[in-house]
Amino acid sequence: MATHLSHPQRRPPLLRQAIKIRRRRVRDLQDPPPRAAREVQVQSHHFSPEERDLLYEEALYTVLHRLGQPEPSHVKEASELLSYLREAFQVQPEEHQQMLQRVRELEKPVFCLKATVKQAQGILGKDVSGFSDPYCLLGIEQKVGVPEGSPVSRRRQKAVVRHTIPEEETHRTQVKSQTLNPVWDETFILEFEDIANASFHLDMWDLDTVESVRQKLGELTDLHGLRRIFKEARKDKGQDDFLGNVVLRLQDLRCREDRWFPLEPCTETYPDRGRCHLQFQFIHKRRATAASRSQPSYTVHFHLLQQLVSHEVTQHQAGSTSWDASLSPQAVTILFLHATQKDLSDFHQSMAQWLAYSRLYQSLEFPSSCLLHPITSIEYQWIQGRLKAEQREELATSFTSLLAYGLSLIRKFRSVFPLSVSDSPSRLQSLLRVLVQMCKMKAFGELCPDSAPLSQLVSEALRMGTVEWFHLMQQHHQPMVQGILEAGKALLNLVQDVMGDLYQCRHTWNKIFHNVLKIDLFSMAFLELQWLVAKRVRDHTVAVGNLVSPDIGESLFQLYVSLKELCQLGPVPSDSREVLALDGFHRWFRPAIPSWLQKTYSVALERVQRAVQMDMLVPLGELTKHSTSAVDLSTCFAQISHTARQLDWPDPEEAFMITVKFVEDTCRLALVYCSLIKARARELSAVQKDQGQAADMLCVVVNNMEQLRLIIDKLPTQLAWEALEQRVGAVLEQRQLQNTLHAQLQGALAGLGHEIRTGVRTLAEQLEVGIATHIQKLIGVKESVLPEDMQPFLCTPPVSSNSYSRTSFLPPLSFGPVSGARLPPASLLTLLWTHTLTVLVEVASSQSSSSLASGRLKVALQNLEVCFHAEGCGLPPEALHTDTFQALQSDLELQAASCRELIQKYFCSRIQQQAETTSERLGAVTVKASYRASEQKLHVELLSASSLLPLDSNGSSDPFVQLTLEPRHEFPELAPRETQKHKKELHPLFDETFEFLVPAEPCQKAWACLLLTVLDHDRLGADDLEGEAFLPLCRVPGLTGCAEPGEAPQMRLPLTYPAPNGDPILRLLESRKGDREAQAFVKLRRQRAKQASQHAPRQGGGS
């Protein structure tokens, strides 16, 4: 639900207010927002004209007296820097030239080189011990009139400091004893006049003290030390050893330099003398500008930074772009030069940057993330003692000022950071992180010790800001015309805005405040807003009273639903939860319930009447067989259910009575619809001359009522009866529930069922006439009539042309409850189809022994299926192919088959059973089989049997195997074969070969098989059956392809038993008494089944 920020007509005032807030300082956190704040124009700087002139003079002086080579990323040309300064300070060209000339006339500063000798590495070891006692001599040589590259210049570079620089201008470091990697970290200020003719000289020496030969021999460690003793013996006592030097032209150095320099020798001996780490910085002394003489250096730098940043931000705003906190190369160059020349420390630069950025952030639009760098730098270098009292006060003031301003933005974050601007969440998060980092600083803790915790300050600002926002929204929604109805609409809009704001707090703002400050903004805002909303809703309902008009009732219902959604947004109720002002708010709306229920019924009744009046009783489509009014009725009832779910009255007893009323109204509307739709059918039929069209309309009416019955049947689910019964179970008895809700529903369903049955029976009386007689006539057709010649007779309509001939496009019709029992919905065609199948089943059962009659019934079933399907306009295949249809089709398929076809089907089923059998509980046989087409011989090797059942009393068996090719009518000339009998053996090894002379054609049929019957030989009686195995001949090598088979693979076949409950094929064959072949086959199969049943209990049944 959108808040006021998402409404286009309300956006401009809030955006203007956001701009005003961002461009002015916060005077007092308790002040309400001004009603008509004046637009504050952002100036180019915050200095008076006099201050601006002093600062401009300082900047020009810095550029004009630039020293050293420029940095790679800095601006080289002075003219470009001067032009930038003129734009940044908004100085006119004439004034600029005057100021520039005046600055040129000022006295030059004293140029100095700030040199820091950090350390050296890998120097020569001059002492006997292999180490040295190094120290450095350094200074600046002013070479006047000596051209570069001349022999004199080269000799002066080789010369040592003491020979080129006066002693009073020479500086010396401390001596580091016995080391080759000395560390000094000493800084010297070296003055010079002309950078073009000045050179920096540094000599490194090994201090040599007078020692006795005995002392030196004590330090001797190797032969090199001995050579050093002889060398020192030749030189003067106390003379220091030269270790190397560094000579640099000042004009080659950058403004700041930090590098390692190699130590150069005076001669070509020992060229690798190590290296020295030096830092250089060109600085000024005694600058002639008024600002430098009257203000601290960091203050001047802070003001210059503030002016340049203000210009940069203003330039981006003029170009309709936001500043990304990166300064231009010109500004970076000028600030770098000024900080370097003024010799500002990193700490004071960071402090100046913080003061400038924190002050500008309160008046200009730029990212708060640029404040993080100075905060981090100040925190890293913080030492309170290095600041003067006025500096500490200025820094503390900047902390408190930024904190107050940040809290004011947080207080009004809804308008200052609107979600209509994509980067608002990131900007708010950046501000919070800046405040967190600032309050965590040691400097903040020491300079602002009385400040409350940041989370407490932010929480209070959010709480106050939420209340202010609510009052602002209330004022915004204040109606122009005073009245109960207008006040209700205004209150509804206010609640919806509150919900939209809470939604934004939960899904956007809450995670920002929680991640940064662990503040639950959503819970805080919800608690504040729900109290404010509750008071106004309560006042409004009291003003409405008990006399609720339809319009006011509609407004109250929308308000009630919005309050429910508002409460659902809140925290989950618990025992420890704070009591909310909105708890039990539904009681305020109790007088409006009758108005809501009456309005729901009235609207629904009007929609039903309008839908029926517009209905032409024509099916909506081929798949949708009801008409338009049924669709409208479904939508109408869905709206009633939706209203009930929206209401969801909390009080159980009252909720039960409301549900009873909804059910009563729904059932009443259903019966009203039945009366209206029947009257509509009579009205349309009165002007319809075609009786078939009238029947079609009646079909649509019945379908509409069936659709209505389905809708009514879903009422318990749609109205959540189960949940309601659980709620009222403690106050109402189950019998009372049955006598109200369920009784109403059953009464409505019974009435609909009566209406539906009446319509269905009216149509069925026309369409069912003659179906049974028609099917009976099929049986009496002469035997000479072929099935294909019966097609015209089978398709002759059994009923009148005005009814049955239209079944190809009749809409599905449903029938309802019969004798109080609800049956599953079915179409009229389904009813006729079921009746037809019932007649066919009865006739097929009586003609099961006649293949001729069964064949005719089979053809009749196929043609009736086509007729009822009607090329997709009748019943779908899934409705036609019922269990009864499939069973009848299967039975007729068997009954219409000849005896030999039945025998073939039997063996196909046994082959399938063999393929599905994996258990060897009855044992198994192993065979090899192949077919040689050239000889027309089937070669069978019976290898063995295993795991046979012990059928004799001695716990063993006397097994042998009988081999026959089945069915016998396919192989009439081939007699059965038998193996040798093995005594007392359950795992006999036969290893016997049999050959059958048989053509390939009958062997390749699906039902052709080799039947392996394993028997237990019994001398006194009939042999017992161990089991049967069926090997399909079509899978034997040599019969599956044209090539002659190679080595035949072994096949292990599990033994099986016939079905214990008999086979339907055998029963059908047995019913054909006049067929000797069928009777003989049945006799043998029955004998095998009887033998199997005798042993089934002992082995747990067949496979």
Side-chain angles (χ1 to χ4, degrees):
M1 195 170 296
T3 65
H4 65 281
L5 294 178
S6 62
H7 293 287
Q9 66 272 19
R10 303 172 190 167
R11 183 178 301 169
L14 292 178
L15 289 180
R16 287 197 298 269
Q17 182 187 6
I19 295 173
K20 296 171 189 176
I21 294 172
R22 289 289 280 145
R23 292 181 176 179
R24 69 180 176 84
R25 299 186 181 217
V26 176
R27 297 184 180 90
D28 189 355
L29 290 176
Q30 301 296 330
D31 287 345
R35 295 184 178 273
R38 187 175 67 254
E39 293 287 345
V40 179
Q41 299 296 329
V42 178
Q43 302 296 326
S44 61
H45 54 79
H46 298 285
F47 304 108
S48 64
E50 294 78 12
E51 293 174 334
R52 186 206 65 167
D53 292 343
L54 293 178
L55 194 59
Y56 192 53
E57 178 190 61
E58 179 74 16
L60 295 177
Y61 194 85
T62 300
V63 174
L64 291 178
H65 297 290
R66 179 179 187 176
L67 295 175
Q69 296 294 325
E71 297 290 330
S73 60
H74 288 180
V75 177
K76 300 179 181 179
E77 299 297 331
S79 59
E80 184 177 351
L81 298 179
L82 294 175
S83 177
Y84 173 81
L85 285 174
R86 187 179 65 80
E87 294 179 2
F89 283 81
Q90 297 184 356
V91 178
Q92 297 298 323
E94 297 80 6
E95 185 182 0
H96 170 73
Q97 291 299 329
Q98 296 174 3
M99 291 286 291
L100 187 61
Q101 181 62 31
R102 190 171 62 198
V103 171
R104 286 194 177 113
E105 294 174 356
L106 293 177
E107 182 182 356
K108 291 183 179 181
V110 176
F111 300 137
C112 300
L113 177 67
K114 182 180 180 181
T116 301
V117 183
K118 301 293 288 185
Q119 59 181 324
Q121 291 181 351
I123 64 176
L124 296 178
K126 291 291 186 176
D127 292 343
V128 177
S129 61
F131 295 98
S132 293
D133 303 320
Y135 67 93
C136 296
L137 296 176
L138 64 153
I140 292 181
E141 177 191 11
Q142 291 288 344
K143 297 177 290 185
V144 180
V146 180
E148 291 293 334
S150 64
V152 177
S153 175
R154 287 194 294 270
R155 284 196 301 271
R156 293 180 70 87
Q157 289 183 358
K158 295 291 185 178
V160 296
V161 171
R162 62 185 59 166
H163 296 159
T164 58
I165 301 175
E167 183 177 357
E168 64 272 9
E169 298 179 7
T170 302
H171 301 268
R172 174 172 174 164
T173 67
Q174 295 180 356
V175 178
K176 301 297 179 181
S177 301
Q178 295 298 293
T179 179
L180 299 180
N181 300 295
V183 177
W184 289 285
D185 199 11
E186 298 183 33
T187 301
F188 304 91
I189 305 298
L190 311 176
E191 296 183 2
F192 62 91
E193 295 180 359
D194 184 9
I195 191 173
N197 298 318
S199 297
F200 170 79
H201 285 253
L202 179 142
D203 294 345
M204 190 176 298
W205 298 86
D206 169 41
L207 181 66
D208 193 4
T209 57
V210 179
E211 295 179 345
S212 64
V213 176
R214 179 178 298 178
Q215 289 175 330
K216 294 180 179 180
L217 290 176
E219 299 174 358
L220 185 63
T221 57
D222 53 14
L223 293 177
H224 292 287
L226 186 60
R227 282 201 301 270
R228 293 190 188 98
I229 293 177
F230 294 142
K231 186 177 179 180
E232 290 181 1
R234 295 194 299 267
K235 71 177 184 179
D236 297 336
K237 293 183 179 180
Q239 182 179 354
D240 295 340
D241 294 315
F242 180 76
L243 298 178
N245 70 350
V246 176
V247 179
L248 302 171
R249 296 190 308 170
L250 295 190
Q251 63 182 4
D252 295 335
L253 296 178
R254 292 176 180 170
C255 190
R256 281 186 182 177
E257 198 82 57
D258 187 349
R259 283 197 296 149
W260 287 85
F261 297 91
L263 293 173
E264 301 292 342
C266 285
T267 63
E268 300 301 326
T269 59
Y270 297 111
D272 186 9
R273 293 174 171 265
R275 58 179 185 164
C276 184
H277 183 195
L278 300 175
Q279 290 179 348
F280 299 108
Q281 177 180 340
F282 288 111
I283 63 175
H284 291 174
K285 285 185 178 180
R286 296 191 293 275
R287 291 167 65 97
T289 61
S292 296
R293 293 195 303 268
S294 61
Q295 299 177 14
S297 296
Y298 91 93
T299 302
V300 179
H301 186 75
F302 149 52
H303 290 162
L304 180 60
L305 174 62
Q306 180 175 333
Q307 180 66 30
L308 297 185
V309 171
S310 175
H311 170 69
E312 297 274 335
V313 176
T314 306
Q315 288 295 103
H316 280 81
Q317 289 178 348
S320 300
T321 59
S322 58
W323 186 53
D324 59 357
S326 60
L327 292 171
S328 64
Q330 296 87 345
V332 171
T333 303
I334 293 172
L335 292 173
F336 175 80
L337 292 175
H338 187 264
T340 304
Q341 294 173 8
K342 301 284 285 186
D343 195 18
L344 280 178
S345 65
D346 292 340
F347 174 79
H348 283 93
Q349 289 185 55
S350 300
M351 182 175 171
Q353 188 178 9
W354 163 256
L355 294 175
Y357 280 15
S358 63
R359 183 173 300 178
L360 290 173
Y361 180 73
Q362 302 176 42
S363 58
L364 298 178
E365 291 281 352
F366 64 86
S368 58
S369 57
C370 65
L371 298 171
L372 290 174
H373 176 70
I375 285 178
T376 306
S377 299
I378 293 174
E379 177 69 7
Y380 181 72
Q381 306 173 72
W382 173 251
I383 300 177
Q384 185 178 5
R386 74 171 65 182
L387 295 181
K388 299 178 181 178
E390 59 271 14
Q391 294 177 343
R392 291 197 299 271
E393 182 180 355
E394 189 173 17
L395 189 58
T397 303
S398 69
F399 288 153
T400 56
S401 177
L402 182 67
L403 178 59
Y405 181 72
L407 292 175
S408 71
L409 297 183
I410 294 171
R411 179 177 172 181
K412 302 181 183 301
F413 76 92
R414 293 172 175 85
S415 55
V416 177
F417 303 99
L419 287 180
S420 57
V421 181
S422 60
D423 65 340
S424 290
S426 60
R427 289 192 296 118
L428 175 60
Q429 187 173 22
S430 177
L431 171 62
L432 292 175
R433 288 179 175 174
V434 167
L435 295 180
V436 169
Q437 293 299 323
M438 182 186 73
C439 294
K440 289 169 58 178
M441 294 172 62
K442 292 181 290 185
F444 183 86
E446 295 176 6
L447 299 179
C448 306
D450 299 330
S451 177
L454 179 62
S455 58
Q456 178 181 341
L457 296 174
V458 173
S459 298
E460 185 61 26
L462 290 173
R463 187 176 294 106
M464 296 175 61
T466 299
V467 175
E468 291 175 359
W469 174 84
F470 180 84
H471 290 299
L472 180 65
M473 290 298 99
Q474 183 182 13
Q475 183 179 3
H476 179 74
H477 291 295
Q478 192 70 23
M480 299 295 294
V481 179
Q482 298 299 325
I484 295 295
L485 184 60
E486 290 74 14
K489 293 180 180 179
L491 183 57
L492 176 61
N493 292 332
L494 178 61
V495 173
Q496 290 175 346
D497 280 349
V498 168
M499 291 174 57
D501 180 73
L502 289 175
Y503 183 85
Q504 292 179 356
C505 288
R506 167 179 282 180
H507 293 86
T508 302
W509 304 121
N510 195 67
K511 58 184 178 182
I512 294 177
F513 284 96
H514 185 271
N515 291 341
V516 179
L517 289 168
K518 305 302 179 185
I519 294 177
D520 189 357
L521 169 64
F522 172 76
S523 298
M524 181 189 305
F526 180 82
L527 291 176
E528 291 294 330
L529 292 174
Q530 64 92 25
W531 281 103
L532 297 170
V533 168
K535 181 180 184 306
R536 282 144 188 85
V537 172
R538 180 59 177 155
D539 294 343
H540 178 69
T541 54
V542 170
V544 171
N546 295 329
L547 300 178
V548 182
S549 64
D551 292 338
I552 294 179
E554 176 67 20
S555 176
L556 288 177
F557 183 77
Q558 296 299 328
L559 182 59
Y560 171 82
V561 173
S562 298
L563 289 179
K564 280 182 60 65
E565 296 177 5
L566 177 60
C567 291
Q568 291 172 358
L569 283 176
V572 179
S574 61
D575 296 338
S576 59
R577 193 198 67 171
E578 181 181 352
V579 177
L580 301 179
L582 285 176
D583 288 343
F585 76 90
H586 65 280
R587 293 190 292 269
W588 308 338
F589 295 87
R590 188 178 288 125
I593 292 179
S595 174
W596 297 345
L597 297 178
Q598 182 60 37
K599 180 66 176 294
T600 303
Y601 177 77
S602 301
V603 172
L605 180 60
E606 291 177 3
R607 294 187 61 177
V608 169
Q609 292 172 342
R610 185 168 56 252
V612 173
Q613 190 63 32
M614 300 295 293
D615 196 354
M616 299 305 296
L617 298 182
V618 177
L620 292 175
E622 295 182 359
L623 301 179
T624 305
K625 302 303 181 182
H626 47 264
S627 61
T628 57
S629 63
V631 178
D632 293 339
L633 188 67
S634 176
T635 305
C636 178
F637 284 4
Q639 184 60 41
I640 293 177
S641 301
H642 177 67
T643 302
R645 289 194 299 271
Q646 282 183 309
L647 189 56
D648 190 21
W649 198 255
D651 183 79
E653 293 187 49
E654 295 176 354
F656 175 74
M657 299 306 299
I658 293 173
T659 304
V660 170
K661 179 61 176 175
F662 274 126
V663 174
E664 178 184 346
D665 291 344
T666 304
C667 296
R668 189 194 315 170
L669 286 172
L671 297 179
V672 169
Y673 174 79
C674 291
S675 301
L676 293 176
I677 199 67
K678 288 192 296 183
R680 180 63 176 169
R682 289 193 296 269
E683 177 186 350
L684 295 177
S685 300
V687 297
Q688 184 61 253
K689 297 181 179 180
D690 189 351
Q691 296 298 321
Q693 293 291 340
D696 290 345
M697 290 183 183
L698 184 57
C699 293
V700 174
V701 169
V702 176
N703 269 338
N704 287 355
M705 289 190 290
E706 172 57 28
Q707 185 70 14
L708 175 59
R709 190 190 67 81
L710 294 177
I711 297 172
I712 296 296
D713 203 27
K714 295 178 181 178
L715 272 182
T717 302
Q718 293 179 343
L719 297 179
W721 282 13
E722 183 177 354
L724 178 62
E725 291 176 357
Q726 293 177 356
R727 290 172 56 193
V728 303
V731 294
L732 295 178
E733 298 180 358
Q734 185 66 26
R735 179 172 53 83
Q736 188 175 357
L737 297 175
Q738 293 291 338
N739 292 338
T740 51
L741 293 178
H742 296 279
Q744 286 180 342
L745 183 63
Q746 292 301 326
L749 292 176
L752 287 174
H754 175 73
E755 297 289 345
I756 294 171
R757 286 196 302 273
T758 302
V760 170
R761 286 170 182 170
T762 302
L763 287 174
E765 289 173 359
Q766 303 177 29
L767 302 180
E768 291 183 359
V769 175
I771 292 181
T773 305
H774 179 71
I775 294 176
Q776 287 292 341
K777 289 181 180 179
L778 297 178
I779 309 302
V781 179
K782 298 179 181 180
E783 295 185 6
S784 59
V785 179
L786 299 176
E788 54 269 19
D789 297 332
M790 298 167 58
Q791 180 75 15
F793 177 73
L794 290 170
C795 291
T796 302
V799 293
S800 66
S801 60
N802 287 337
S803 57
Y804 188 75
S805 62
R806 299 180 183 273
T807 56
S808 61
F809 53 83
L810 276 177
L813 302 173
S814 301
F815 63 94
V818 180
S819 302
R822 291 193 296 114
L823 299 178
S827 67
L828 175 61
L829 291 182
T830 303
L831 180 64
L832 296 176
W833 178 244
T834 303
H835 176 75
T836 302
L837 291 180
T838 303
V839 175
L840 285 175
V841 169
E842 294 176 356
V843 176
S845 178
S846 63
Q847 301 292 328
S848 61
S849 59
S850 173
S851 60
L852 178 61
S854 299
R856 292 176 176 176
L857 291 175
K858 175 184 174 183
V859 176
L861 180 63
Q862 294 173 350
N863 285 278
L864 287 172
E865 178 187 4
V866 174
C867 181
F868 273 86
H869 183 57
E871 298 181 354
C873 297
L875 292 178
E878 57 269 17
L880 291 169
H881 300 161
T882 61
D883 294 341
T884 303
F885 170 82
Q886 295 177 359
L888 177 60
Q889 189 180 45
S890 178
D891 291 343
L892 291 178
E893 187 76 24
L894 293 178
Q895 292 174 195
S898 64
C899 291
R900 289 191 172 183
E901 289 175 343
L902 291 175
I903 293 174
Q904 293 168 1
K905 290 180 180 294
Y906 175 82
F907 281 108
C908 285
S909 65
R910 293 305 303 273
I911 291 173
Q912 181 65 27
Q913 178 190 0
Q914 182 71 52
E916 296 174 353
T917 301
T918 57
S919 172
E920 296 185 1
R921 290 180 297 175
L922 304 178
V925 294
T926 304
V927 298
K928 287 184 178 182
S930 61
Y931 183 81
R932 295 184 178 89
S934 58
E935 302 177 3
Q936 289 194 340
K937 286 184 179 180
L938 177 65
H939 184 79
V940 179
E941 295 182 42
L942 186 59
L943 301 179
S944 63
S946 61
S947 304
L948 300 179
L949 297 177
L951 302 182
D952 292 342
S953 59
N954 57 7
S956 185
S957 293
D958 304 325
F960 70 97
V961 181
Q962 187 180 78
L963 296 85
T964 57
L965 294 182
E966 299 288 352
R968 298 307 305 274
H969 61 264
E970 295 285 357
F971 310 98
E973 304 297 331
L974 298 178
R977 311 287 181 86
E978 290 186 356
T979 65
Q980 297 295 326
K981 299 177 180 63
H982 291 247
K983 300 294 184 179
K984 299 180 180 180
E985 182 64 59
L986 298 180
H987 305 277
L989 182 64
F990 297 108
D991 200 12
E992 300 184 34
T993 303
F994 303 90
E995 289 187 344
F996 298 89
L997 184 62
V998 59
E1001 182 181 357
C1003 296
Q1004 293 175 338
K1005 297 179 179 178
W1007 51 80
C1009 63
L1010 173 63
L1011 172 59
L1012 304 172
T1013 306
V1014 182
L1015 300 169
D1016 173 35
H1017 178 64
D1018 196 343
R1019 295 180 179 180
L1020 301 180
D1023 296 334
D1024 296 326
L1025 178 66
E1026 288 278 359
E1028 298 174 319
F1030 296 83
L1031 175 63
L1033 297 181
C1034 61
R1035 300 179 185 175
V1036 172
L1039 290 171
T1040 57
C1042 299
E1044 291 290 335
E1047 179 67 21
Q1050 292 187 8
M1051 289 178 284
R1052 186 176 179 88
L1053 303 176
L1055 297 180
T1056 63
Y1057 273 169
N1061 299 326
D1063 192 288
I1065 297 178
L1066 295 182
R1067 290 196 296 269
L1068 191 57
L1069 287 171
E1070 190 176 15
S1071 66
R1072 300 183 180 181
K1073 303 295 183 182
D1075 194 315
R1076 294 183 178 181
E1077 183 179 1
Q1079 298 303 315
F1081 179 79
V1082 171
K1083 181 179 179 182
L1084 178 59
R1085 291 288 94 198
R1086 294 294 188 195
Q1087 180 183 357
R1088 294 294 186 225
K1090 182 178 179 181
Q1091 292 174 330
S1093 64
Q1094 294 175 352
H1095 307 298
R1098 284 186 289 168
Q1099 54 85 30
S1103 63

